[in-house]
Amino acid sequence: MNHYHLKKQLIALEKIEENIDYDTLDTLIEDMLVTINTGGKIIATALGKNVPICEKFIGTLNSLGINGHFLHTNSAIHGDLGVVKDNDLVIMLTKSGETSESIYLYEQLKKRKIKLWLLTYNGNSTLGKKIANKLVLFLEHEGDKWNLVPNNSSIGYLLVLQAVAMEITDRLDIKLEVFKQNHPGGYIGKVLETKRRV
């Protein structure tokens, strides 16, 4: 085996890093910090295979004591929009920027007093043109033989969002004690029992 697909995925991640707009990324992080420091929460919304990506990101924030919530794009318009409050920050994930459910959700969110961000691979899409705050990631190929399976695009979202979470942790100077309080179980909980407060 030559591990062709693993090599292609690693190259895809390198391409994302090479092409990302770091100024825009910094603006997203700054907006998140303002939201957190003024009592708002971070909300991530998506469909399909990007749902677990958002859940992972929000789970990381929650474990660090940061108020975060996952909002499923479909469930949002059936009552879950109630979770969105004034001064929250919502990050929408959509690869194409053309999904009808995401566009409809945008039409509802724009009526609210929130900060809205788009993470996409298509800045020229319908949502790319409508949402001013957007981070456009680079995707050469999904990595499957049809270029259709949500593969490299989802990995890219995960990479960027987890890096954002770690940057937020640093800038807020979150202490290990906070993580310890929120993660008492499992192997990590055992390790943390031996850690001094830092």
Side-chain angles (χ1 to χ4, degrees):
M1 293 179 64
N2 63 7
H3 303 290
Y4 170 79
H5 288 290
L6 176 58
K7 293 175 183 176
K8 291 290 284 184
Q9 287 178 338
L10 292 173
I11 290 171
L13 293 181
E14 288 177 0
K15 292 286 188 182
I16 289 174
E17 192 276 332
E18 289 171 4
N19 290 277
I20 199 165
D21 183 339
Y22 280 100
D23 288 338
T24 300
L25 182 61
D26 283 341
T27 302
L28 168 59
I29 292 168
E30 289 295 335
D31 280 354
M32 289 177 65
L33 288 169
V34 170
T35 298
I36 294 164
N37 288 327
T38 55
K41 64 182 173 292
I42 307 301
I43 298 172
T45 182
L47 288 167
K49 299 302 183 290
N50 288 323
V51 166
I53 303 300
C54 288
E55 290 176 331
K56 164 61 176 167
F57 171 59
I58 294 301
T60 299
L61 295 183
N62 289 161
S63 71
L64 296 164
I66 297 168
N67 192 4
H69 191 91
F70 168 65
L71 177 65
H72 195 290
T73 302
N74 276 337
S75 299
I77 60 171
H78 294 282
D80 287 1
L81 264 174
V83 77
V84 182
K85 307 298 183 185
D86 287 356
N87 302 317
D88 285 347
L89 184 146
V90 178
I91 303 173
M92 298 185 71
L93 273 64
T94 165
K95 176 187 170 184
S96 68
E98 297 291 351
T99 310
S100 58
E101 298 94 331
S102 297
I103 294 171
Y104 185 68
L105 177 57
Y106 159 76
E107 295 297 335
Q108 308 311 308
L109 289 172
K110 73 177 184 179
K111 303 171 186 176
R112 301 188 175 224
K113 296 176 182 178
I114 61 168
K115 179 72 73 171
L116 182 61
W117 272 85
L118 173 69
L119 261 64
T120 186
Y121 288 91
N122 185 3
N124 294 317
S125 62
T126 298
L127 284 178
K129 292 175 181 176
K130 288 178 178 289
I131 300 176
N133 299 311
K134 56 183 173 288
L135 183 63
V136 182
L137 304 183
F138 177 83
L139 183 67
E140 192 170 56
H141 199 279
E142 280 287 10
D144 64 283
K145 61 183 179 180
W146 309 288
N147 191 26
L148 287 172
V149 178
N151 186 46
N152 288 338
S153 58
S154 290
I155 292 170
Y157 281 140
L158 180 63
L159 173 77
V160 170
L161 288 174
Q162 288 303 114
V164 165
M166 295 303 98
E167 184 68 24
I168 292 289
T169 304
D170 288 348
R171 296 199 194 185
L172 290 176
D173 194 25
I174 293 173
K175 304 301 183 184
L176 181 60
E177 188 64 23
V178 174
F179 184 59
K180 182 177 179 179
Q181 289 173 347
N182 295 328
H183 204 305
Y187 177 74
I188 290 176
K190 275 188 175 181
V191 171
L192 288 171
E193 277 299 313
T194 66
K195 295 281 189 183
R196 65 181 178 82
R197 184 170 182 168
V198 295

